[in-house]
Structures are given as structure tokens and as C-alpha cells.
Amino acid sequence: MAFLADALKRVKPSATITITQKARDLKAQGKDVISLSVGEPDFDTPDNIKEAAIAAIRRGETKYPPVSGIVPLREAVAKKFKRENNLDYKPEQTIVGTGGKQILFNAFMATLNPGDEVIIPKPYWVSYPEMVAICGGTSVFADTSIDNGFKLTPAALEKAITPRTKWLVMNSPSNPSGAAYTEAELKALATVLMKHPNVWVLTDDMYEHLTYGDFVFRTIAEVEPGLYARTLTVNGVSKAYAMTGWRIGYAAGPIELIKAMDMIQGQQTSGASTIAQWAAVEALNGPQDFVARNKAIFQGRRDLVVSMLNQARGISCPSPEGAFYVYPSCAQLIGKKTPAGKVIDNDETFVSELLEAEGVAVVHGSAFGLGPNFRISYATSEDLLEAACVRIQRFTGSLS
Ligand SMILES: Cc1ncc(COP(=O)(O)O)c(C=O)c1O
């Protein structure tokens, strides 16, 4: 009898974590490595948020929380959705978990039966299909292309829907492509969804606050109120407030779904850390100037990286609307050889040869379901980004 569960056979380890670890190992061996593989802001959590956590500890907020979250945080989440997204949710329609990751996992756990399908546009955040697989569902991948900015079209959505479809996963701005949907684009997708009442929408808005230029963020339940009763809107404090280590995510949606997620969480963690929840209350209710400051910094970095990558021979890099990722194509380099004679046969070879030759760690696009591309996270200093892009230019220039 096998000791490990069969569910594990359906799951792959995270490619981003694997590459980040490989870069760490090379660094530990003394190699000069610039890692652009990790998906977290390089800023520290703002002081007012840290102070709120310290004050919570001092007040003795150290007991088990209510499973779905402390009341002040659920109220702050409801207020956030009203203030920023014009969505009306009662605190009872919200849930707080240990990161957006757990919220997503619990939503799938609470709803998927064997054979249920989840539509995931490509390229996708690596965890969606793995979560679906663990929960016994089936991922149905919908195509996008670099020519339309890696965005799902109404036609591709229509094609992916079947009677077994339970969820469409939306992620705007996207990890890994940075693509974000305009109000008109969301409306066009919503028009398709309105014809298919069996399909629910799980929208992962984790990168909401990171959009650039005059782009205006919208979320699907706001754009199409007809979808409100079958949408779970997921968000969190990790990316917007540089709080990845605090592990707080949240969602709002129909009460029956929230109750089902609460039941799972009650048997799983008993709720997220009380202290981190008090920190998140301050993040959502406190001053928001940190968010605008970060956004300006990230925009400068995006522009630098896009411009330098487009000067690298054989690389074509669209300028995405948001997040802190770019997703350039290396299609023109497939078939070329390194000076040592190694053929670049796909994007995975491209990134491993780049790491080997120039010590730049990026993630291959095929890990996100769409290649030949690679993902660069620009959540690091301009100096390092510039140095990394110079190395990428040198590497692509060395291929023949
Ligand atoms: C698209 C997307 N969703 C969700 C998450 C999870 O965020 P967290 O669990 O830190 O809230 C991430 C983190 O990388 C992400 O990129």
C-alpha cells in the first residue's frame, strides 16, 4: 500500500519556488546571481502597520480568532470593497484566511467535485491548476496570445465553457503576464457569462493596486452586477502593503459559499494569526499613501525593464498594465546556439542557460502554461534590474 496520497501524484512543485531555490544555491556557492524570479515587493511593511501588530500583542490579542476573521478586519474588508470597488458586502459575506492562497484553495475545496471543470486562462499563476487538481477538479485552459496582451477573449471563453464548468478564474492584473482587463474587456466577458448561469467567477485581484499610467482597475462583479451572486472576489494585503510574510488574504461573496469556506477553515487552521489580522486592519483602514508611492516606483521599473528587454536581440517584450511582472517572448531565439554549442530548444533551456552563463534567474513561460516566454519580476531595485537587463542583452547577443 502506498503511504502517500494519490492526490500528490496530480501535483507539481512550484516552478517559481524551484528556480528561486536554484538561484539561492548558486549564490551560496559564491556565484554572482541576480534573482528576478520571486513574486514579492522588495519594500518593508510600513511602520504604522508594524506598530498596529505590536500594539495588538501588547493588548493581549493573542487568543484564537473567530474562524472567518476578527470582526474589525471583516468590517474593514467590507469597507474596502465599498470604497475601492463599489461593491456592497456585509461583514458576514467576507472571510479572512492565511494568505490569498488559502482563500483560493478553500474556495476550490468547498465547491469542486470530481469532474467539475475550472477555466483557467493561459498564462496562469502556477498554483491555480495545482489547487484544482488537489481538490479533485479538472482545469480547462483557455488560450490567450501575446498579440492581444495575454487577455482572455469572449470567443475563447465561450469555447472553454461546458455543462461541467463550475468556475472561471480571472486574475487581473495577472501573474505572470501583468495584463489587466479594462472595464470594456470585463463587460465583454461578462456578456458571455450571463448566458451561462452555471459558471461562477473567482476573481483574484491580488495586484489591484499595482496598475500604471491612466489604467483604471475594475473588478468583474462591479462591472456586471448580474454576476454578483456568483462571484467570489479575492484580494489580500501581501502585494499592496508589502506584507507577504504576514499571511493575510480575504474574499467576499455569496454567504453560502463563505459559510462553506468557513467550515473548511474551522477544521484546518481555526483562522489566520490574530496579530497579523490586526496589522491588516491598519493596512486597510490607515493611511494609503504608501500604495501610491510604490505604484510610482514600480511603474519606473516596468518602463526601464521593458525598454531594455526590447533592446535585447531576439526578445520582444510587451508593456503590461500592472502587477510587477513582464512576460517577454523569446520565440526568435528558439533554435539558436550558445557559444558552447548548446541549442536553445525551448524557453526552459533559455532560462537555464541564462542562469548558467550570466547568473540571471527568471522563470520559463511554459511553467505558466504559455511559451516560449519567460517571466521577470521587477520587484527589485533599478540598479539590479539594469544590471540584469545588460546581462540578458549580452546573453542573447552571444547566441548564434
Ligand atoms: C496571482 C496571485 N494570487 C494569489 C497569490 C497569493 O498571495 P498571498 O497568499 O500572499 O495572499 C499570489 C502570490 O504570489 C499571486 O501571485
Side-chain angles (χ1 to χ4, degrees), residues 156-204:
L157 172 60
E158 186 80 67
K159 198 169 141 210
I161 293 174
T162 77
R164 296 305 310 259
T165 307
K166 196 157 250 178
W167 288 105
L168 162 68
V169 175
M170 291 291 294
N171 174 214
S172 168
S174 150
N175 175 5
S177 71
Y181 291 77
T182 63
E183 178 162 359
E185 287 163 341
L186 288 174
K187 190 83 197 162
L189 293 173
T191 303
V192 175
L193 292 165
M194 290 307 287
K195 290 190 284 177
H196 297 277
N198 60 311
V199 182
W200 283 54
V201 188
L202 195 164
T203 178
D204 175 349

Side-chain angles (χ1 to χ4, degrees), residues 56-84:
I57 295 174
R58 296 233 157 89
R59 278 201 313 278
E61 306 276 6
T62 53
K63 303 284 192 267
Y64 284 124
V67 171
S68 286
I70 58 172
V71 171
L73 184 51
R74 293 176 85 188
E75 285 171 353
V77 166
K79 253 174 42 200
K80 176 259 177 271
F81 280 124
K82 182 66 190 163
R83 179 179 72 234
E84 296 179 348

Side-chain angles (χ1 to χ4, degrees), residues 42-43 209-216 291-307 319-326 378-380 382 385:
D42 51 322
F43 312 119
H209 289 296
L210 301 175
T211 62
Y212 311 117
D214 50 13
F215 184 87
V216 181
V291 176
R293 225 172 28 246
N294 276 1
K295 192 166 148 139
I297 295 171
F298 278 130
Q299 178 163 345
R301 293 172 177 179
R302 178 201 63 172
D303 294 344
L304 170 79
V305 168
V306 168
S307 152
S319 181
E321 295 87 354
F324 38 66
Y325 308 104
V326 290
Y378 54 83
T380 193
E382 285 206 6
L385 290 170

Side-chain angles (χ1 to χ4, degrees), residues 39 98-102 104 125 128 171 173-175 204 206-207 235-239 244 247-249 325:
T98 306
K101 206 167 203 173
Q102 190 184 35
L104 294 163
W125 180 45
Y128 301 134
N171 174 214
S174 150
N175 175 5
D204 175 349
M206 200 55 75
Y207 295 90
N235 212 314
V237 294
S238 288
K239 316 285 177 173
T244 46
R247 309 307 304 124
I248 296 292
Y325 308 104

Side-chain angles (χ1 to χ4, degrees), residues 6 8 14 64 92 119-120 122 160 162 197 203 216 227 236 252 286 288 294 306 319 332 351 362:
D6 287 347
L8 279 187
S14 156
Y64 284 124
E92 309 86 85
I119 300 174
I120 302 177
K122 298 195 287 188
T162 77
T203 178
V216 181
L227 290 173
Q288 300 292 306
N294 276 1
V306 168
S319 181
Q332 289 174 52
V351 306
V362 300

Side-chain angles (χ1 to χ4, degrees), residues 43-378:
F43 312 119
D44 196 6
T45 306
D47 279 341
N48 62 310
I49 297 174
K50 290 183 184 171
E51 291 303 331
I54 293 163
I57 295 174
R58 296 233 157 89
R59 278 201 313 278
E61 306 276 6
T62 53
K63 303 284 192 267
Y64 284 124
V67 171
S68 286
I70 58 172
V71 171
L73 184 51
R74 293 176 85 188
E75 285 171 353
V77 166
K79 253 174 42 200
K80 176 259 177 271
F81 280 124
K82 182 66 190 163
R83 179 179 72 234
E84 296 179 348
N85 310 112
N86 201 24
L87 288 171
D88 284 304
Y89 287 113
K90 296 193 181 74
E92 309 86 85
Q93 286 178 278
T94 70
I95 184 163
V96 174
T98 306
K101 206 167 203 173
Q102 190 184 35
I103 295 278
L104 294 163
F105 192 94
N106 288 353
F108 289 134
M109 195 75 183
T111 54
L112 293 181
N113 291 314
D116 285 348
E117 295 175 357
V118 179
I119 300 174
I120 302 177
K122 298 195 287 188
Y124 47 74
W125 180 45
V126 289
S127 294
Y128 301 134
E130 306 307 326
M131 289 179 182
V132 169
I134 294 174
C135 296
T138 302
S139 294
V140 173
F141 299 109
D143 288 322
T144 71
S145 89
I146 193 165
D147 302 326
N148 66 3
F150 303 109
K151 291 185 208 177
L152 182 66
T153 60
L157 172 60
E158 186 80 67
K159 198 169 141 210
I161 293 174
T162 77
R164 296 305 310 259
T165 307
K166 196 157 250 178
W167 288 105
L168 162 68
V169 175
M170 291 291 294
N171 174 214
S172 168
S174 150
N175 175 5
S177 71
Y181 291 77
T182 63
E183 178 162 359
E185 287 163 341
L186 288 174
K187 190 83 197 162
L189 293 173
T191 303
V192 175
L193 292 165
M194 290 307 287
K195 290 190 284 177
H196 297 277
N198 60 311
V199 182
W200 283 54
V201 188
L202 195 164
T203 178
D204 175 349
D205 299 349
M206 200 55 75
Y207 295 90
E208 163 179 10
H209 289 296
L210 301 175
T211 62
Y212 311 117
D214 50 13
F215 184 87
V216 181
F217 174 85
R218 291 275 185 261
T219 192
I220 197 155
E222 170 191 22
V223 165
E224 176 47 77
L227 290 173
Y228 174 88
R230 50 182 165 117
T231 298
L232 184 71
T233 305
V234 180
N235 212 314
V237 294
S238 288
K239 316 285 177 173
Y241 302 96
M243 291 178 68
T244 46
W246 298 76
R247 309 307 304 124
I248 296 292
Y250 57 84
I255 196 97
E256 307 72 42
L257 174 60
I258 298 294
K259 278 191 186 153
M261 291 165 66
D262 171 276
M263 197 170 74
I264 289 172
Q265 194 154 281
Q267 298 298 0
Q268 184 187 47
T269 58
S270 297
S273 153
T274 328
I275 295 146
Q277 290 197 54
W278 279 104
V281 170
E282 174 63 18
L284 295 182
N285 288 348
Q288 300 292 306
D289 48 321
F290 172 84
V291 176
R293 225 172 28 246
N294 276 1
K295 192 166 148 139
I297 295 171
F298 278 130
Q299 178 163 345
R301 293 172 177 179
R302 178 201 63 172
D303 294 344
L304 170 79
V305 168
V306 168
S307 152
M308 288 189 74
L309 287 174
N310 280 320
Q311 289 165 49
R313 205 168 79 203
I315 300 284
S316 164
C317 185
S319 181
E321 295 87 354
F324 38 66
Y325 308 104
V326 290
Y327 202 65
S329 162
C330 54
Q332 289 174 52
L333 300 173
I334 304 303
K336 296 216 180 297
K337 279 194 190 134
T338 65
K342 172 100 184 173
V343 177
I344 306 290
D345 51 356
N346 56 38
D347 52 20
E348 193 163 1
T349 312
F350 174 82
V351 306
S352 69
E353 289 302 309
L354 174 65
L355 181 56
E356 205 56 46
E358 292 286 354
V360 177
V362 300
V363 187
H364 50 287
S366 42
F368 306 101
L370 192 137
N373 290 69
F374 58 101
R375 187 194 77 174
I376 285 186
S377 161
Y378 54 83

